[in-house]
Amino acid sequence: MLVLGVPERVVMQIMGWPSTAMAARYQHVTGGILADVAQRLGGLIREVANDADDSSTEGSDESR
């Protein structure tokens, strides 16, 4: 369920686990999950940087 992106609270309910410690113990983060998160973060970081560049460029055009 971790690979599918199911929220931890939902997994806990389905599995009958009473605490997040149980989820942490039995759900193992795989290399594929880590790669997916790294790719998403990389895209987000690039998007934020591009937005910042665009807004600073727009500001300089208005001052002319």
Side-chain angles (χ1 to χ4, degrees):
M1 286 186 259
L2 183 62
V3 172
L4 296 173
V6 177
E8 186 175 80
R9 298 288 299 172
V10 175
V11 174
M12 289 173 56
Q13 180 70 32
I14 291 169
M15 300 302 293
W17 295 334
S19 70
T20 57
M22 296 289 287
R25 180 175 184 160
Y26 293 110
Q27 287 189 315
H28 304 287
V29 177
T30 65
I33 293 171
L34 292 174
D36 181 49
V37 170
Q39 182 179 9
R40 290 179 186 194
L41 284 174
L44 178 62
I45 291 168
R46 283 189 295 275
E47 183 178 316
V48 169
N50 288 338
D51 288 348
D53 288 344
D54 290 346
S55 66
S56 67
T57 303
E58 290 171 6
S60 63
D61 289 343
E62 292 174 5
S63 63
R64 290 181 187 174

